[in-house]
Coordinates of all heavy atoms in Angstrom, one line a residue:
T1 N -182.1 69.8 153.0 CA -182.5 68.6 152.4 C -181.3 67.6 152.2 O -180.2 68.1 152.3 CB -183.2 68.8 151.0 OG1 -182.2 69.2 150.1 CG2 -184.3 69.8 151.0
F2 N -181.6 66.4 152.0 CA -180.6 65.4 151.8 C -179.7 65.7 150.6 O -178.5 65.5 150.7 CB -181.1 64.0 151.7 CG -181.8 63.5 152.9 CD1 -183.0 62.8 152.8 CD2 -181.2 63.6 154.1 CE1 -183.6 62.4 154.0 CE2 -181.8 63.1 155.3 CZ -183.0 62.5 155.2
R3 N -180.2 66.3 149.6 CA -179.4 66.6 148.4 C -178.4 67.7 148.8 O -177.3 67.7 148.4 CB -180.3 67.0 147.2 CG -179.6 67.2 145.9 CD -180.5 67.4 144.8 NE -181.4 66.3 144.5 CZ -181.1 65.2 143.9 NH1 -179.8 65.0 143.5 NH2 -181.9 64.2 143.7
K4 N -178.8 68.7 149.5 CA -177.9 69.8 149.9 C -176.8 69.3 150.8 O -175.7 69.9 150.7 CB -178.7 70.9 150.5 CG -179.6 71.8 149.6 CD -180.3 72.9 150.3 CE -181.2 73.6 149.3 NZ -181.9 74.7 150.0
L5 N -177.1 68.3 151.6 CA -176.1 67.8 152.5 C -175.1 66.8 151.7 O -174.1 66.4 152.3 CB -176.8 67.0 153.6 CG -177.5 67.8 154.6 CD1 -178.3 66.9 155.6 CD2 -176.6 68.7 155.4
G6 N -175.5 66.5 150.5 CA -174.6 65.6 149.7 C -175.0 64.1 149.9 O -174.3 63.2 149.5
W7 N -176.1 63.9 150.6 CA -176.5 62.5 150.9 C -177.2 61.8 149.8 O -177.3 60.6 149.7 CB -177.3 62.5 152.2 CG -176.6 62.9 153.4 CD1 -175.3 63.2 153.6 CD2 -177.2 63.0 154.7 NE1 -175.0 63.5 154.9 CE2 -176.2 63.4 155.6 CE3 -178.5 62.8 155.2 CZ2 -176.4 63.6 156.9 CZ3 -178.7 63.0 156.6 CH2 -177.7 63.4 157.4
V8 N -177.7 62.6 148.8 CA -178.3 62.1 147.6 C -177.6 62.8 146.4 O -177.4 64.0 146.5 CB -179.8 62.4 147.6 CG1 -180.4 62.0 146.3 CG2 -180.5 61.7 148.8
T9 N -177.3 62.1 145.4 CA -176.7 62.6 144.2 C -177.4 62.0 143.0 O -178.1 61.0 143.1 CB -175.2 62.3 144.2 OG1 -174.6 63.1 143.1 CG2 -174.9 60.9 144.1
S10 N -177.2 62.7 141.9 CA -177.8 62.2 140.6 C -176.7 62.1 139.6 O -175.7 62.8 139.6 CB -178.8 63.2 140.1 OG -179.9 63.3 141.0
Y11 N -176.8 61.1 138.7 CA -175.9 61.0 137.6 C -176.6 60.2 136.5 O -177.6 59.6 136.7 CB -174.6 60.3 138.0 CG -174.8 59.0 138.8 CD1 -175.0 57.8 138.1 CD2 -174.7 59.0 140.2 CE1 -175.2 56.6 138.8 CE2 -174.9 57.8 140.9 CZ -175.1 56.6 140.2 OH -175.3 55.5 140.9
D12 N -176.0 60.2 135.3 CA -176.5 59.5 134.2 C -175.8 58.1 134.2 O -174.6 58.0 134.1 CB -176.2 60.2 132.9 CG -177.0 61.5 132.7 OD1 -178.2 61.5 133.1 OD2 -176.4 62.5 132.3
H13 N -176.6 57.1 134.2 CA -176.1 55.7 134.2 C -176.2 55.2 132.7 O -177.2 55.5 132.1 CB -177.0 54.8 135.1 CG -176.4 53.5 135.3 ND1 -176.6 52.4 134.4 CD2 -175.6 53.0 136.3 CE1 -175.9 51.4 134.9 NE2 -175.4 51.7 136.0
P14 N -175.2 54.5 132.2 CA -175.2 54.1 130.8 C -176.3 53.2 130.4 O -176.6 53.1 129.2 CB -173.8 53.5 130.6 CG -173.3 53.2 132.0 CD -174.0 54.1 132.9
L15 N -176.9 52.4 131.4 CA -177.9 51.5 131.0 C -179.3 51.9 131.4 O -180.3 51.6 130.7 CB -177.7 50.1 131.7 CG -176.4 49.4 131.3 CD1 -176.2 48.1 132.0 CD2 -176.3 49.2 129.8
V16 N -179.5 52.7 132.4 CA -180.8 53.0 132.9 C -181.1 54.5 132.8 O -182.2 54.9 133.2 CB -181.1 52.5 134.3 CG1 -181.0 51.0 134.4 CG2 -180.1 53.1 135.3
G17 N -180.2 55.3 132.4 CA -180.4 56.8 132.3 C -180.2 57.5 133.6 O -179.5 57.0 134.5
R18 N -180.8 58.6 133.8 CA -180.6 59.5 135.0 C -181.2 58.8 136.2 O -182.4 58.4 136.2 CB -181.3 60.8 134.7 CG -181.0 61.8 135.8 CD -179.9 62.7 135.2 NE -179.6 63.8 136.1 CZ -178.4 64.1 136.5 NH1 -177.4 63.5 135.9 NH2 -178.2 65.1 137.3
I19 N -180.4 58.7 137.3 CA -180.9 58.1 138.5 C -180.4 58.9 139.7 O -179.4 59.6 139.7 CB -180.5 56.6 138.7 CG1 -179.0 56.5 138.7 CG2 -181.1 55.8 137.6 CD1 -178.5 55.1 139.1
D20 N -181.1 58.8 140.8 CA -180.7 59.3 142.1 C -180.1 58.2 142.9 O -180.6 57.0 142.8 CB -181.9 59.9 142.9 CG -182.4 61.2 142.3 OD1 -181.6 61.9 141.6 OD2 -183.6 61.5 142.5
A21 N -179.0 58.4 143.7 CA -178.4 57.4 144.4 C -177.9 58.0 145.7 O -177.8 59.2 145.9 CB -177.3 56.8 143.7
A22 N -177.5 57.1 146.7 CA -176.9 57.6 147.9 C -175.6 58.3 147.6 O -174.8 57.9 146.8 CB -176.7 56.4 148.8
G23 N -175.4 59.4 148.2 CA -174.2 60.2 148.0 C -173.2 59.9 149.1 O -173.1 58.7 149.6
L24 N -172.5 60.8 149.6 CA -171.5 60.6 150.7 C -172.2 60.9 152.0 O -172.7 61.9 152.3 CB -170.3 61.6 150.5 CG -169.6 61.4 149.2 CD1 -168.5 62.6 149.0 CD2 -168.9 60.1 149.1
L25 N -172.2 59.8 152.8 CA -173.0 59.9 154.1 C -172.1 60.3 155.2 O -172.6 60.5 156.3 CB -173.6 58.5 154.3 CG -174.5 58.0 153.2 CD1 -175.1 56.7 153.6 CD2 -175.6 59.0 152.9
V26 N -170.8 60.4 155.0 CA -169.9 60.9 156.1 C -169.1 62.1 155.5 O -168.8 62.1 154.2 CB -169.0 59.8 156.6 CG1 -169.8 58.8 157.3 CG2 -168.2 59.2 155.5
D27 N -168.6 63.0 156.3 CA -167.8 64.1 155.9 C -166.5 64.0 156.6 O -166.4 64.3 157.8 CB -168.6 65.4 156.2 CG -167.9 66.6 155.5 OD1 -167.1 66.4 154.6 OD2 -168.2 67.7 156.0
L28 N -165.4 63.6 155.9 CA -164.1 63.5 156.5 C -163.3 64.8 156.1 O -163.1 65.1 154.9 CB -163.4 62.2 156.0 CG -164.2 60.9 156.2 CD1 -163.5 59.8 155.5 CD2 -164.3 60.7 157.7
S29 N -162.8 65.5 157.1 CA -162.1 66.7 156.8 C -160.8 66.6 156.2 O -160.4 67.3 155.3 CB -162.0 67.5 158.1 OG -161.3 66.8 159.1
D30 N -160.0 65.6 156.6 CA -158.7 65.4 156.0 C -158.7 64.6 154.7 O -157.7 64.8 153.9 CB -157.8 64.6 157.0 CG -157.4 65.5 158.2 OD1 -157.5 66.8 158.1 OD2 -157.0 65.0 159.3
T31 N -159.6 63.8 154.5 CA -159.7 63.0 153.3 C -161.1 63.0 152.7 O -161.9 62.0 152.8 CB -159.3 61.5 153.5 OG1 -160.1 61.0 154.6 CG2 -157.8 61.4 153.9
P32 N -161.6 64.2 152.2 CA -162.9 64.3 151.7 C -163.2 63.3 150.6 O -162.3 63.1 149.7 CB -163.1 65.7 151.3 CG -161.7 66.2 151.1 CD -160.8 65.4 152.0
G33 N -164.3 62.7 150.6 CA -164.7 61.8 149.5 C -165.3 62.6 148.3 O -165.7 63.8 148.4
R34 N -165.5 61.9 147.2 CA -166.2 62.5 146.1 C -166.7 61.3 145.2 O -166.2 60.2 145.2 CB -165.3 63.4 145.2 CG -164.1 62.6 144.6 CD -163.1 63.6 144.0 NE -161.9 63.0 143.7 CZ -161.5 62.7 142.5 NH1 -162.2 63.1 141.4 NH2 -160.3 62.1 142.3
I35 N -167.8 61.6 144.5 CA -168.4 60.7 143.6 C -168.0 61.2 142.2 O -168.3 62.3 141.8 CB -169.9 60.6 143.8 CG1 -170.2 60.0 145.2 CG2 -170.5 59.7 142.7 CD1 -171.6 60.0 145.6
T36 N -167.4 60.3 141.4 CA -166.9 60.7 140.1 C -167.7 60.3 139.0 O -167.5 60.6 137.8 CB -165.4 60.2 139.9 OG1 -165.4 58.8 140.0 CG2 -164.5 60.8 140.9
G37 N -168.7 59.4 139.3 CA -169.6 59.0 138.2 C -170.4 57.8 138.6 O -170.4 57.4 139.8
P38 N -171.1 57.2 137.7 CA -172.0 56.0 138.1 C -171.2 54.8 138.4 O -170.0 54.7 138.0 CB -172.8 55.8 136.8 CG -172.0 56.4 135.7 CD -171.2 57.5 136.3
P39 N -171.8 53.8 139.0 CA -171.1 52.6 139.2 C -170.7 51.9 137.9 O -171.4 52.1 136.9 CB -172.1 51.7 140.0 CG -173.4 52.3 139.7 CD -173.2 53.8 139.4
L40 N -169.7 51.0 138.0 CA -169.3 50.3 136.7 C -170.4 49.4 136.3 O -171.2 48.8 137.1 CB -168.1 49.5 137.0 CG -166.8 50.4 137.4 CD1 -165.7 49.4 137.7 CD2 -166.5 51.3 136.2
V41 N -170.5 49.1 135.0 CA -171.4 48.1 134.5 C -170.7 46.8 134.5 O -169.5 46.7 134.0 CB -171.8 48.5 133.0 CG1 -172.7 47.5 132.3 CG2 -172.5 49.9 133.0
P42 N -171.3 45.7 135.0 CA -170.7 44.4 135.0 C -170.2 44.1 133.6 O -170.9 44.2 132.6 CB -171.8 43.5 135.4 CG -172.7 44.3 136.3 CD -172.7 45.7 135.6
G43 N -168.9 43.7 133.5 CA -168.3 43.3 132.2 C -167.7 44.5 131.5 O -167.2 44.3 130.4
Q44 N -167.9 45.7 132.0 CA -167.5 46.9 131.2 C -166.0 46.8 130.8 O -165.6 47.3 129.8 CB -167.8 48.1 132.1 CG -167.2 49.4 131.7 CD -167.6 50.5 132.6 OE1 -168.7 50.5 133.1 NE2 -166.8 51.4 132.9
D45 N -165.1 46.3 131.7 CA -163.7 46.3 131.4 C -163.2 44.9 131.1 O -161.9 44.8 130.9 CB -163.0 46.8 132.7 CG -163.3 48.3 133.0 OD1 -163.5 49.1 132.0 OD2 -163.4 48.6 134.1
T46 N -164.0 44.0 130.9 CA -163.5 42.6 130.6 C -162.7 42.5 129.3 O -161.6 41.9 129.4 CB -164.7 41.6 130.5 OG1 -165.5 41.7 131.7 CG2 -164.3 40.2 130.2
E47 N -163.1 43.2 128.3 CA -162.3 43.1 127.0 C -160.9 43.6 127.2 O -159.9 43.0 126.8 CB -163.0 43.9 125.9 CG -162.3 43.8 124.6 CD -163.0 44.6 123.5 OE1 -164.0 45.3 123.8 OE2 -162.5 44.6 122.4
A48 N -160.8 44.8 127.9 CA -159.5 45.4 128.1 C -158.6 44.5 129.0 O -157.4 44.3 128.7 CB -159.6 46.8 128.7
I49 N -159.2 43.9 130.0 CA -158.4 43.1 130.9 C -158.0 41.8 130.2 O -156.8 41.4 130.3 CB -159.3 42.7 132.2 CG1 -159.5 44.0 133.0 CG2 -158.6 41.6 133.0 CD1 -160.5 43.9 134.1
M50 N -158.8 41.2 129.5 CA -158.5 40.0 128.7 C -157.4 40.3 127.7 O -156.5 39.5 127.5 CB -159.7 39.3 128.1 CG -160.7 38.8 129.1 SD -160.1 37.7 130.3 CE -159.9 36.2 129.3
T51 N -157.5 41.4 127.0 CA -156.5 41.8 126.0 C -155.1 42.0 126.7 O -154.1 41.5 126.3 CB -156.9 43.0 125.3 OG1 -158.1 42.8 124.6 CG2 -155.8 43.5 124.3
E52 N -155.2 42.6 127.9 CA -153.9 42.9 128.6 C -153.3 41.6 129.1 O -152.1 41.4 129.2 CB -154.2 43.8 129.8 CG -153.0 44.2 130.6 CD -153.3 45.2 131.7 OE1 -154.2 46.1 131.5 OE2 -152.6 45.2 132.7
L53 N -154.1 40.6 129.4 CA -153.6 39.3 129.8 C -153.2 38.4 128.6 O -152.7 37.3 128.8 CB -154.7 38.5 130.6 CG -155.1 39.1 132.0 CD1 -156.3 38.4 132.6 CD2 -153.8 39.0 132.9
G54 N -153.4 38.9 127.4 CA -152.9 38.2 126.2 C -153.9 37.4 125.5 O -153.5 36.6 124.6
Y55 N -155.2 37.5 125.8 CA -156.2 36.7 125.1 C -156.7 37.5 123.9 O -156.9 38.7 124.0 CB -157.4 36.4 126.1 CG -157.1 35.5 127.2 CD1 -156.6 35.9 128.4 CD2 -157.3 34.1 127.0 CE1 -156.3 35.0 129.4 CE2 -157.0 33.2 128.0 CZ -156.5 33.7 129.2 OH -156.2 32.8 130.2
D56 N -157.0 36.8 122.8 CA -157.6 37.5 121.7 C -159.1 37.4 121.8 O -159.6 36.8 122.7 CB -157.1 36.9 120.4 CG -157.5 35.4 120.2 OD1 -158.4 34.9 120.9 OD2 -156.9 34.8 119.3
D57 N -159.8 38.1 120.9 CA -161.2 38.2 121.0 C -161.9 36.9 121.0 O -162.9 36.6 121.7 CB -161.8 39.1 119.9 CG -161.5 40.6 120.1 OD1 -161.2 41.0 121.3 OD2 -161.5 41.4 119.2
A58 N -161.4 36.0 120.1 CA -162.0 34.6 119.9 C -161.9 33.9 121.2 O -162.9 33.2 121.7 CB -161.4 33.9 118.8
A59 N -160.8 33.9 121.9 CA -160.6 33.2 123.1 C -161.5 33.8 124.2 O -162.1 33.0 125.0 CB -159.1 33.2 123.6
S60 N -161.6 35.1 124.3 CA -162.4 35.7 125.2 C -163.9 35.4 125.0 O -164.6 35.1 126.0 CB -162.3 37.2 125.2 OG -160.9 37.6 125.5
R61 N -164.3 35.3 123.8 CA -165.7 34.9 123.5 C -166.0 33.5 123.9 O -167.0 33.2 124.5 CB -166.0 35.1 122.0 CG -166.3 36.5 121.6 CD -166.9 36.6 120.2 NE -166.1 35.9 119.2 CZ -165.1 36.4 118.5 NH1 -164.7 37.7 118.8 NH2 -164.5 35.7 117.6
R62 N -165.0 32.6 123.7 CA -165.2 31.2 124.1 C -165.3 31.1 125.6 O -166.1 30.4 126.2 CB -164.0 30.3 123.6 CG -164.0 30.0 122.1 CD -163.1 28.9 121.8 NE -161.7 29.3 122.1 CZ -160.8 30.0 121.3 NH1 -161.3 30.4 120.1 NH2 -159.6 30.2 121.7
L63 N -164.4 31.8 126.3 CA -164.5 31.8 127.8 C -165.8 32.4 128.3 O -166.4 31.9 129.3 CB -163.3 32.6 128.4 CG -161.9 31.9 128.2 CD1 -160.8 32.9 128.6 CD2 -161.9 30.6 129.0
M64 N -166.3 33.4 127.6 CA -167.6 34.0 128.0 C -168.7 33.0 127.8 O -169.6 32.8 128.6 CB -167.8 35.3 127.3 CG -169.0 36.1 127.8 SD -169.3 37.6 126.9 CE -167.7 38.5 127.3
A65 N -168.7 32.4 126.6 CA -169.7 31.4 126.3 C -169.8 30.2 127.3 O -170.8 29.7 127.6 CB -169.6 30.9 124.9
A66 N -168.6 29.9 127.8 CA -168.5 28.8 128.7 C -168.8 29.2 130.1 O -168.8 28.4 131.0 CB -167.1 28.2 128.6
G67 N -169.0 30.5 130.3 CA -169.4 31.0 131.7 C -168.1 31.2 132.6 O -168.3 31.3 133.8
V68 N -166.9 31.1 132.0 CA -165.7 31.3 132.8 C -165.5 32.7 133.2 O -165.1 33.0 134.3 CB -164.5 30.7 132.0 CG1 -163.2 31.0 132.8 CG2 -164.7 29.3 131.7
I69 N -165.8 33.6 132.2 CA -165.7 35.1 132.5 C -167.1 35.7 132.2 O -167.9 35.2 131.5 CB -164.6 35.8 131.7 CG1 -164.9 35.7 130.2 CG2 -163.2 35.2 132.0 CD1 -164.0 36.5 129.3
A70 N -167.3 36.8 132.9 CA -168.5 37.6 132.7 C -168.2 38.8 131.8 O -167.0 39.3 131.9 CB -169.2 38.0 134.0
G71 N -169.1 39.2 131.1 CA -168.8 40.4 130.3 C -170.0 40.8 129.5 O -171.0 40.0 129.5
R72 N -170.0 41.9 128.8 CA -171.0 42.3 128.0 C -170.8 41.6 126.6 O -169.8 41.8 126.0 CB -171.0 43.8 127.8 CG -171.4 44.5 129.1 CD -171.2 45.9 129.1 NE -171.9 46.5 128.0 CZ -171.8 47.8 127.6 NH1 -171.0 48.6 128.3 NH2 -172.4 48.2 126.6
P73 N -171.7 40.8 126.2 CA -171.5 40.0 124.9 C -171.2 40.9 123.7 O -170.5 40.5 122.8 CB -172.8 39.3 124.7 CG -173.5 39.3 126.0 CD -173.0 40.5 126.8
D74 N -171.7 42.2 123.7 CA -171.5 43.1 122.6 C -170.1 43.7 122.7 O -169.7 44.4 121.8 CB -172.5 44.1 122.5 CG -172.6 45.0 123.8 OD1 -172.0 44.6 124.8 OD2 -173.1 46.1 123.7
S75 N -169.3 43.4 123.7 CA -168.0 44.1 123.9 C -166.9 43.5 123.0 O -165.9 44.1 122.8 CB -167.6 44.2 125.3 OG -167.3 42.9 125.8
F76 N -167.1 42.2 122.7 CA -166.1 41.5 121.9 C -166.4 41.6 120.4 O -167.5 41.3 120.0 CB -165.9 40.1 122.3 CG -165.3 40.0 123.7 CD1 -166.2 39.8 124.8 CD2 -164.0 40.2 124.0 CE1 -165.7 39.7 126.1 CE2 -163.5 40.1 125.2 CZ -164.3 39.9 126.3
K77 N -165.5 41.9 119.6 CA -165.7 42.1 118.2 C -165.9 40.7 117.5 O -165.2 39.7 117.9 CB -164.5 42.8 117.5 CG -164.2 44.1 118.1 CD -162.9 44.6 117.4 CE -162.2 45.6 118.3 NZ -161.3 45.0 119.2
S78 N -166.8 40.6 116.6 CA -166.9 39.4 115.8 C -165.9 39.4 114.7 O -165.4 40.4 114.3 CB -168.3 39.3 115.2 OG -168.4 40.2 114.2
P79 N -165.5 38.2 114.2 CA -164.6 38.1 113.1 C -165.0 39.0 111.9 O -164.1 39.5 111.2 CB -164.5 36.6 112.8 CG -165.0 35.9 114.0 CD -166.0 36.9 114.7
A80 N -166.2 39.2 111.7 CA -166.7 40.0 110.6 C -166.4 41.5 110.8 O -166.3 42.2 109.8 CB -168.2 39.8 110.4
D81 N -166.2 41.9 112.1 CA -165.8 43.3 112.3 C -164.4 43.6 112.0 O -164.0 44.8 111.9 CB -166.1 43.6 113.8 CG -167.6 43.5 114.2 OD1 -168.4 43.7 113.2 OD2 -167.9 43.3 115.4
S82 N -163.5 42.6 111.9 CA -162.1 42.9 111.7 C -161.8 43.2 110.2 O -162.5 43.0 109.3 CB -161.3 41.6 112.0 OG -161.5 41.3 113.4

């Protein structure tokens, strides 16, 4: 079957739960591939990247509200959380 060949794999996705997805469709002997987890969620790393670039949470929220950056709105702390 496709699953035994590694062409279909399953994993837990943080937003939609357990899903089946395309696995590795080629088998390279010298550089074998591997699937380490689900695809990234859009905006998943925005907070960390903006912090690394020197932006505070308020600036990041303003940029997100203006549509300059994409991210998960719940990823930035509100002033009440501090």
Side-chain angles (χ1 to χ4, degrees):
T1 68
F2 292 136
R3 189 172 298 282
K4 286 182 183 177
L5 292 170
W7 293 357
V8 174
T9 189
S10 299
Y11 52 80
D12 292 317
H13 191 277
L15 297 179
V16 296
R18 189 100 176 132
I19 62 172
D20 290 336
L24 300 173
L25 304 180
V26 294
D27 189 18
L28 305 172
S29 58
D30 289 340
T31 56
R34 63 189 168 110
I35 296 174
T36 59
L40 297 176
V41 175
Q44 165 178 327
D45 296 324
T46 301
E47 180 180 7
I49 292 168
M50 296 304 288
T51 300
E52 188 173 324
L53 292 173
Y55 291 90
D56 63 15
D57 288 341
S60 295
R61 282 194 305 276
R62 285 192 302 274
L63 291 170
M64 189 180 299
V68 175
I69 62 171
R72 295 173 51 189
D74 61 341
S75 68
F76 294 98
K77 302 176 208 87
S78 72
D81 294 337
S82 299

